[in-house]
Amino acid sequence: CLYLSDYHFEYTECDALGSRWRVAVPNKADICTGLPDPVKGTQCTFSCSEGEYLNMQSQQCQKCAAGTYSLGTGVAFDEWDSLPSGFHIRLLLLLLESICTSTSVKTGDYIASNTDECTATLSYAVSLKKPGTVSFDYFYPDNSIYFEFFVQNDQCQSTDSQSRWIKISESSWSKHRVELNSGNNVLYWRATTYTLLGSAVKPVMLRNIAISGVAYTSECFHCKPGTHSAKQGSARCAPCPADTFSNKGATVCHQCDRDKYAEAGSASCKPRPACTNSDFFYTHTPCDSEGKTQLMYKWIEPKICSETVKGAVKLPASGDKQTCPPCNPGFFVTNSSTCEPCDKGFYSNGTACSECPVGSEPVVGFEYKWWNTMPKNMRSAVFRREFTWEVAGEYVYTTPGDQDTDYLMLTLNVPGYRLPQSMTTDSERSELSRITFVFETVCSADCKFFFLAGYNQWNNDVVEQWRGTSRKQSYSYLIQSNSTTSFTWTFQRTEEFNMRKYSADVAKIYSIHITNVLGGVASQCRHCALSSTKAGSACVPCPPGHYMVNGTGVCKSCPPNTFVRADQPVGEAACVQCGPNTETNKAHTACLSDCALDVETAGGAPLHYDFSPLANVSGFHSSPRFTNKGLRYFHSFNLGLCGKEGRVLATCVDNVTESGREVRGYICQSTVVPSDIRSQSVVSSQPFLIGLTRVVQTTCGLTHILYNNSTNMSHTELCESKDKWTPLRSLLSRNGCKHLSYLVFLLSNCSEGTCDGCTFHFLWESQHACPLCTKNHYREIVSACIQGIQRTTYVWQQPLQCYGGESLPAQKVSACVTLDFWLKFGVSTGTVAAVLLVTISCYFWKKTRKLQYKYSKLMMNSRGKECELPTADSCAIMEGEDAEDDIMYLSKRSVFSKIRSYSRERSSDGFDSVPLKSSSSRHTEDMLNFRCLV
């Protein structure tokens, strides 16, 4: 081989020491011999810088020539007419290996994902000799698609799940950059659509993929048409400005002829078309000191039409003065004829501000119906220019765009919402806020008009969309969460790639009205709230639990166990009685349940319930459902009973995107798709609240729990009555309450939990729905007295119809006595009583004898005077007389004789015989001769 064109150089594989050899390889086999001998090559870690390439002949780095570029140790992919070598696309249905008919869209500048339920994965494998990076531009406008980027290394380990998230593109192309480790790396871009309602979504688009850290590059790449590099050592090529063009490998861009034009980055020039009415737009200048505004006409930039071509339209003259439109409600006209918002506590109809009267409060919000200037909290944007919506006095409209595929966006930002204290109607009662706008679209192609609600700068949900021409109409949307911070109106003329073919298609918004906005302005005032006003309110405050008497400023206390509702008529009617088994909260604004319940029973003791174990949030799924593509999904419900202050509410989340939007309430629902992506078992989306719960009545075996109907946007119109309550039932086993499971499932045959979108039925099986156990639920069993011990045992009544509450008392042991003991005790007691009776009888008998003796002695001392007692020597028997008188000189007799003598003591003539002393005969004689002296 004599010529360098006959062969080229390559490096061998690196050995264990990191060395390699440079060898010559013929361009065609068997055409020449005598190739240069192999020589030692550069180290495997050797690389060139950006803008350089490795000259294999000299094995030295050299700068790229003008018109070419090099990433040094990298590769770039910026042309997508066909899929570049090394890239692979895989399409499958999530969790089901299925044939997908959708394909990725490839154009000259970018590659786009599919928009159906097939998961599209774009992969590229690269081996890096040293740590490098991968960067790419992406456009990700729709959060109905989950878009992630991750890298797998040699061990098939993926990047951290948190770093896989790709942020939503707010208005233009975004750049993403990730560090790569040396070795083998497989790059994955994956897009999965989670739209279940068949609505259209916008695809994810990729372009300008660049990877650095590869082994080396032995050549420089020519700049593609429409770009150029003017100097040596360029790392990339710069796009040509507008109205210029370039060919492949250009060093400069060439100016187009005057009758031709070119967009930025064009490879050729196009003839300028004749100017039409679609090539310019009109706007208004701010009002001057005279209250006048000027009508201004402007060409769409960049201007591509020609005014000199036959039939071309000239730009209308600008500067015509017109009277400024009035200020919007809540604003007033300053001396400089500009519109400024009224101060807090004031209202206006657009001319002058007036202070709200005493006992009233301003109803704040934003109402835009005159469009002289764009409001400060609104902005318009498109990918390549700033202003796409322009004011036109009575409306704001979309100006003709550079490309018909552009999304022309108008965004309204709000700081938050607060309910006024003076709401009076049922519709106001259920609304945190409402946005209403009047719009119109005029289209000759398949235009689309979107209305989106945003929860942060990265998340916008499509609320409603219209296709084609739409007559002038009004649309309202209820805001139910303070997390909604922005609203966006987007207009796209067509999805076909055209340039100003349908520029005349237009969308107009005539008015926008949003209520209850923090920091808003007021167009009217209402009577003060009936309850205590919040901080910052202009109303006369009332203490908690008080109401205002006919707006006079006099506050009176509500009856016990009532709460104050501002949506009730003025007066005592504002105090609403709490329902059964509920109590008012500290602020007297609602009635809450403490999960305790007492139920009176017919002819029995009351039943006590404690549902506090059921107060924790419980979740369950519906039966599986499938989309037309076979994607399996569930409806997930989270329930939290009771309304104790400070309790944790049920939460449903949206984890499809970075926003992580949450809704909190007593019952909420979300759509769940089982998934293995992002290291999560399920993907949850579309969360919304269903309603509130209240415990009202129960019996053993069946507990009725009522919840209020949903005020969610999608269900409001289906539920005719806001005060309708639906039972949520908890059914118990007939075998008792001891061994029941803890389970919640859908009772209705409808897999979504509801058949009409308003009424939901669930079945909750739990032992905690039984009444609390009391002493009436158990009985006692008393054993016989055995060896002085008696045992009392307590057992439950069967079947057991209670749970928790009082526990079963422990067995009692007490001392006792037998029947033999009481028999012995009775005999002994009777014997003692008999002896005591005999002793007492003897005692009183002896006392009686002494009295008889003394009486006889008195009679003997009467000295014979009949019927006259003797004069007593003294008033009483002197002390010591008994001792003498007791001495009787009687002969000793037997016991039998004594008894006979006692029975004969009384003589036959009726006188008692009294024994006398035998030693005194004189006394004896006197006794015998005693007579009664008359």
Side-chain angles (χ1 to χ4, degrees):
C1 295
L2 300 178
Y3 303 100
L4 292 177
S5 60
D6 294 334
Y7 61 91
H8 65 277
F9 293 106
E10 291 184 4
Y11 283 124
T12 62
E13 293 291 334
C14 296
D15 56 23
L17 300 177
S19 300
R20 56 187 173 182
W21 292 83
R22 189 199 70 177
V23 297
V25 180
N27 294 330
K28 294 183 179 181
D30 302 329
I31 62 172
C32 64
T33 59
L35 295 173
D37 295 332
V39 297
K40 190 173 181 62
T42 59
Q43 290 293 319
C44 291
T45 58
F46 176 83
S47 62
C48 295
S49 303
E50 291 183 344
E52 297 179 343
Y53 73 99
L54 179 63
N55 187 328
M56 295 295 289
Q57 182 71 28
S58 63
Q59 298 194 77
Q60 298 293 327
C61 293
Q62 295 182 2
K63 290 185 177 180
C64 292
T68 62
Y69 72 97
S70 169
L71 298 177
T73 59
V75 291
F77 305 95
D78 51 11
E79 296 184 26
W80 297 93
D81 293 321
S82 61
L83 196 64
S85 176
F87 281 88
H88 300 277
I89 295 178
R90 185 187 182 194
L91 296 172
L92 57 86
L93 196 62
L94 186 64
L95 299 181
L96 295 174
E97 293 290 342
S98 177
I99 299 177
C100 290
T101 58
S102 59
T103 60
S104 296
V105 179
K106 297 180 286 291
T107 68
D109 295 328
Y110 60 84
I111 181 172
S113 69
N114 57 298
T115 57
D116 59 11
E117 296 169 9
C118 284
T119 299
T121 303
L122 177 68
S123 62
Y124 181 76
V126 61
S127 178
L128 302 185
K129 298 303 180 181
K130 66 177 184 178
T133 61
V134 56
S135 63
F136 56 89
D137 297 336
Y138 71 92
F139 179 57
Y140 176 27
D142 198 331
N143 66 346
S144 296
I145 296 180
Y146 170 67
F147 178 47
E148 61 178 338
F149 171 74
F150 60 96
V151 181
Q152 285 187 350
N153 56 19
D154 291 333
Q155 289 76 35
C156 294
Q157 295 175 341
S158 301
T159 54
D160 183 25
S161 60
Q162 295 298 326
S163 63
R164 295 164 65 154
W165 291 44
I166 301 296
K167 294 181 178 180
I168 293 288
S169 300
E170 188 172 4
S171 61
S172 61
W173 287 87
S174 304
K175 182 174 286 292
H176 190 72
R177 181 185 177 95
V178 174
E179 300 290 335
L180 299 177
N181 298 323
S182 59
N184 293 326
N185 292 270
V186 183
L187 315 180
Y188 291 95
W189 294 264
R190 183 158 62 186
T192 304
T193 303
Y194 285 96
T195 298
L196 302 177
L197 302 179
S199 59
V201 297
K202 296 181 280 294
V204 177
M205 293 180 285
L206 295 175
R207 71 180 185 185
N208 297 338
I209 299 176
I211 304 171
S212 65
V214 297
Y216 62 90
T217 179
S218 59
E219 62 179 341
C220 295
F221 301 96
H222 292 284
C223 293
K224 70 176 183 177
T227 64
H228 72 287
S229 61
K231 59 182 181 179
Q232 293 181 345
S234 297
R236 56 191 55 84
C237 298
C240 291
D243 293 334
T244 63
F245 72 98
S246 69
N247 298 318
K248 186 175 182 179
T251 58
V252 294
C253 295
H254 304 285
Q255 189 72 33
C256 294
D257 297 336
R258 296 193 60 182
D259 59 344
K260 295 182 178 181
Y261 76 97
E263 301 174 4
S266 297
S268 61
C269 297
K270 301 176 183 178
R272 291 183 182 273
C275 291
T276 64
N277 293 331
S278 300
D279 291 314
F280 64 87
F281 64 96
Y282 60 93
T283 184
H284 291 78
T285 62
C287 295
D288 57 20
S289 58
E290 299 178 355
K292 300 292 184 178
T293 180
Q294 297 184 36
L295 183 62
M296 307 297 293
Y297 294 92
K298 298 179 181 180
W299 292 111
I300 299 174
E301 296 296 339
K303 180 185 176 184
I304 64 173
C305 67
S306 174
E307 301 177 64
T308 60
V309 178
K310 184 179 179 180
V313 174
K314 299 290 185 180
L315 185 68
S318 301
D320 289 344
K321 287 192 174 183
Q322 300 177 353
T323 302
C324 284
C327 293
N328 285 310
F331 291 79
F332 70 97
V333 182
T334 63
N335 295 332
S336 60
S337 298
T338 59
C339 295
E340 294 292 337
C342 294
D343 293 335
K344 185 177 181 179
F346 289 76
Y347 71 99
S348 80
N349 59 359
T351 55
C353 298
S354 302
E355 187 175 5
C356 290
V358 177
S360 65
E361 64 172 340
V363 182
V364 297
F366 290 123
E367 183 177 0
Y368 302 117
K369 59 181 181 180
W370 301 107
W371 304 90
N372 181 59
T373 58
M374 189 68 71
K376 295 181 180 180
N377 59 343
M378 297 185 70
R379 61 181 179 84
S380 64
V382 76
F383 304 146
R384 284 168 292 277
R385 54 196 178 94
E386 181 66 19
F387 298 105
T388 60
W389 293 74
E390 283 291 342
V391 295
E394 295 182 354
Y395 54 83
V396 58
Y397 73 103
T398 56
T399 60
D402 189 19
Q403 294 183 1
D404 293 340
T405 55
D406 286 344
Y407 290 97
L408 312 178
M409 294 179 291
L410 179 67
T411 302
L412 169 65
N413 295 314
V414 292
Y417 312 93
R418 182 182 63 186
L419 286 172
Q421 299 288 307
S422 54
M423 295 186 305
T424 57
T425 64
D426 290 340
S427 61
E428 291 175 331
R429 187 183 315 165
S430 61
E431 297 178 6
L432 174 63
S433 179
R434 177 191 291 266
I435 183 170
T436 304
F437 60 92
V438 178
F439 73 97
E440 177 186 18
T441 60
V442 179
C443 303
S444 58
D446 54 342
C447 66
K448 295 180 181 179
F449 184 66
F450 299 91
F451 173 61
L452 303 92
Y455 299 95
N456 55 38
Q457 60 178 336
W458 308 114
N459 192 319
N460 287 285
D461 289 339
V462 176
V463 176
E464 191 60 81
Q465 61 176 312
W466 297 265
R467 294 176 179 268
T469 299
S470 300
R471 60 178 178 80
K472 188 176 181 180
Q473 58 186 283
S474 176
Y475 180 80
S476 293
Y477 171 68
L478 294 179
I479 299 108
Q480 301 184 10
S481 172
N482 249 329
S483 61
T484 307
T485 59
S486 66
F487 302 94
T488 301
W489 294 264
T490 301
F491 181 69
Q492 183 188 35
R493 292 183 170 88
T494 182
E495 293 182 348
E496 299 179 2
F497 187 80
N498 293 304
M499 187 169 180
R500 303 191 184 184
K501 183 178 179 181
Y502 304 106
S503 297
D505 294 356
V506 64
K508 298 180 180 179
I509 297 179
Y510 292 89
S511 64
I512 300 175
H513 185 203
I514 181 170
T515 62
N516 306 335
V517 180
L518 290 174
V521 294
S523 60
Q524 60 177 334
C525 295
R526 292 180 180 177
H527 286 295
C528 274
L530 307 178
S531 62
S532 176
T533 58
K534 298 181 179 179
S537 174
C539 291
V540 177
C542 285
H546 291 67
Y547 65 93
M548 184 176 293
V549 180
N550 297 326
T552 60
V554 178
C555 297
K556 286 191 175 182
S557 176
C558 285
N561 205 29
T562 59
F563 70 99
V564 181
R565 287 177 60 173
D567 50 17
Q568 295 295 328
V570 176
E572 190 174 358
C575 303
V576 181
Q577 186 70 34
C578 288
N581 305 298
T582 60
E583 295 182 356
T584 182
N585 60 355
K586 295 180 181 179
H588 292 269
T589 58
C591 294
L592 306 177
S593 170
D594 60 355
C595 291
L597 186 65
D598 295 333
V599 177
E600 297 294 335
T601 58
L607 299 177
H608 306 282
Y609 292 83
D610 181 14
F611 297 112
S612 57
L614 304 179
N616 296 328
V617 177
S618 301
F620 62 100
H621 291 169
S622 68
S623 57
R625 303 201 70 194
F626 297 89
T627 64
N628 294 334
K629 290 284 187 178
L631 177 64
R632 184 165 61 109
Y633 66 95
F634 301 86
H635 290 292
S636 175
F637 298 88
N638 286 332
L639 296 85
L641 303 183
C642 308
K644 297 176 65 176
E645 296 188 64
R647 64 180 294 271
V648 178
L649 298 177
T651 304
C652 295
V653 301
D654 178 3
N655 64 0
V656 174
T657 62
E658 186 190 22
S659 65
R661 183 170 66 92
E662 295 183 353
V663 296
R664 295 177 180 271
Y666 292 100
I667 307 178
C668 64
Q669 176 185 342
S670 61
T671 301
V672 171
V673 179
S675 174
D676 59 351
I677 65 174
R678 207 168 59 194
S679 301
Q680 296 184 4
S681 58
V682 296
V683 173
S684 176
S685 64
Q686 302 175 356
F688 63 90
L689 291 177
I690 291 179
L692 306 177
T693 62
R694 286 186 184 175
V695 179
V696 293
Q697 63 181 1
T698 183
T699 57
C700 186
L702 184 61
T703 300
H704 299 279
I705 302 173
L706 303 186
Y707 74 90
N708 199 337
N709 283 314
S710 169
T711 58
N712 186 273
M713 172 199 64
S714 59
H715 294 158
T716 301
E717 297 179 358
L718 295 176
C719 304
E720 297 179 357
S721 173
K722 296 289 191 306
D723 295 328
K724 181 180 178 182
W725 298 85
T726 303
L728 174 70
R729 296 185 289 177
S730 177
L731 189 62
L732 303 181
S733 170
R734 295 183 178 180
N735 296 327
C737 301
K738 188 174 183 181
H739 302 293
L740 286 178
S741 61
Y742 186 86
L743 180 65
V744 186
F745 56 93
L746 292 172
L747 182 64
S748 173
N749 292 329
C750 301
S751 59
E752 295 89 350
T754 176
C755 298
D756 57 5
C758 177
T759 304
F760 288 76
H761 296 276
F762 308 102
L763 189 64
W764 193 323
E765 290 185 355
S766 172
Q767 58 190 1
H768 301 293
C770 289
L772 297 177
C773 294
T774 63
K775 62 181 180 180
N776 297 321
H777 290 94
Y778 60 84
R779 58 190 179 91
E780 63 178 21
I781 299 175
V782 182
S783 67
C785 184
I786 301 174
Q787 296 180 353
I789 297 177
Q790 190 174 46
R791 303 178 187 274
T792 303
T793 305
Y794 299 89
V795 295
W796 294 110
Q797 301 279 5
Q798 295 298 326
L800 183 61
Q801 297 291 339
C802 68
Y803 179 79
E806 295 186 13
S807 58
L808 198 64
Q811 186 183 61
K812 293 194 305 184
V813 178
S814 59
C816 62
V817 292
T818 61
L819 180 62
D820 294 341
F821 170 81
W822 289 111
L823 181 60
K824 294 177 180 180
F825 177 78
V827 172
S828 301
T829 302
T831 303
V832 173
V835 172
L836 181 61
L837 181 60
V838 171
T839 303
I840 292 174
S841 299
C842 293
Y843 172 77
F844 283 106
W845 174 78
K846 184 176 181 181
K847 294 293 289 186
T848 303
R849 292 291 306 272
K850 287 183 178 181
L851 289 176
Q852 290 177 347
Y853 169 75
K854 291 178 181 179
Y855 177 77
S856 300
K857 186 177 180 180
L858 288 175
M859 294 297 297
M860 293 173 62
N861 293 334
S862 62
R863 300 184 183 273
K865 295 180 180 181
E866 190 175 356
C867 300
E868 182 179 351
L869 294 174
T871 303
D873 294 338
S874 62
C875 295
I877 298 175
M878 298 302 292
E879 185 178 0
E881 290 183 353
D882 288 342
E884 181 181 357
D885 295 340
D886 288 342
I887 300 175
M888 298 181 182
Y889 300 97
L890 299 175
S891 60
K892 187 176 180 180
R893 293 179 294 179
S894 63
V895 176
F896 180 76
S897 300
K898 291 180 179 180
I899 294 174
R900 288 185 58 189
S901 63
Y902 176 76
S903 61
R904 296 177 179 178
E905 283 180 354
R906 183 174 294 274
S907 61
S908 61
D909 59 357
F911 292 96
D912 295 334
S913 297
V914 180
L916 301 176
K917 296 180 179 179
S918 59
S919 59
S920 180
S921 58
R922 186 177 59 88
H923 288 169
T924 304
E925 183 180 358
D926 291 338
M927 279 288 293
L928 296 175
N929 294 325
F930 181 78
R931 296 288 186 270
C932 178
L933 298 179
V934 180

